[in-house]
């Protein structure tokens, strides 16, 4: 093999490696990553721009709020921390799903399990309704 041919092979190999790196960066960089408390909530069908921040209710703190629409159902999940000095009892909560004007689209009943002081649990509430216009959530007491 002549020196000229070796140089061409090296240059072509270098170009191929650079092209592979560029393609890998484009593919990996194009994926959206959800971080805790992210305002972009994704489902398989819909992406919702939400303005939801952490919520507090009765000494409980709701973080990592997530609302997903999929196949005609809406699921709300959250991490719930008990900031009270004593164990919280198992309780029902009303989750109001709000539109961009803070009007209630619908509400979902969720149950928060008993949580020891300083402990956490997960809230998972589902409704068979699609909430494509959801932009925020509000957590309140269930009126009996």
């Amino acid at each position: 093999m002549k020196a000229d041919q070796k140089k061409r092979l090296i240059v072509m190999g270098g170009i191929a490696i650079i092209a592979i790196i560029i393609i890998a960066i484009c593919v990996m960089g194009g994926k959206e990553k959800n971080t805790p408390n992210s305002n972009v909530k994704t489902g398989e069908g819909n992406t919702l721009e939400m303005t939801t921040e952490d919520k507090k209710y009765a000494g409980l703190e709701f973080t990592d709020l997530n609302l997903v629409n999929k196949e005609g159902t809406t699921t709300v999940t959250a991490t719930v921390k008990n900031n009270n000095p004593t164990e919280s009892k198992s309780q029902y909560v009303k989750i109001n799903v709000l539109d961009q004007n803070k009007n209630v689209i619908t509400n979902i009943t969720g149950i928060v399990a008993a949580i020891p002081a300083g402990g956490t649990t997960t809230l998972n509430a589902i409704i068979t309704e699609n909430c494509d216009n959801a932009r925020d959530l509000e957590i309140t007491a269930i009126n009996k």
Side-chain angles (χ1 to χ4, degrees):
M1 204 184 266
K2 293 183 181 178
D4 224 16
Q5 290 176 330
K6 284 183 181 181
K7 285 182 183 179
R8 283 186 187 176
L9 282 176
I10 291 172
V11 170
M12 290 169 61
I15 291 172
I17 290 171
I18 292 171
I20 290 170
I21 291 171
I22 291 171
I23 291 170
I25 290 171
C26 289
V27 169
M28 294 175 79
K31 291 183 181 177
E32 181 180 324
K33 297 176 183 175
N34 280 342
T35 56
N37 298 322
S38 170
N39 287 335
V40 179
K41 310 303 177 189
T42 61
E44 283 191 21
N46 299 314
T47 300
L48 303 175
E49 292 281 339
M50 304 248 318
T51 58
T52 297
E53 297 174 356
D54 294 349
K55 305 293 180 188
K56 293 184 179 180
Y57 164 75
L60 302 176
E61 185 175 11
F62 296 77
T63 60
D64 303 325
L65 290 152
N66 193 11
L67 185 143
V68 176
N69 284 320
K70 182 179 174 185
E71 298 175 7
T73 62
T74 298
T75 303
V76 174
T77 58
T79 300
V80 185
K81 181 177 182 184
N82 180 5
N83 292 324
N84 293 308
T86 59
E87 178 178 75
S88 68
K89 295 181 179 180
S90 179
Q91 59 186 300
Y92 287 95
V93 293
K94 180 168 71 170
I95 304 163
N96 291 321
V97 180
L98 308 175
D99 66 13
Q100 66 186 15
N101 297 318
K102 302 294 183 190
N103 297 316
V104 175
I105 298 170
T106 190
N107 54 58
I108 304 170
T109 300
I111 187 164
V112 178
I115 311 170
T120 61
T121 190
T122 301
L123 169 72
N124 190 4
I126 301 172
I127 188 170
T128 55
E129 189 173 329
N130 196 330
C131 298
D132 281 336
N133 296 325
R135 295 296 177 264
D136 200 0
L137 300 172
E138 175 183 61
I139 299 170
T140 62
I142 298 271
N143 294 331
K144 295 186 178 192

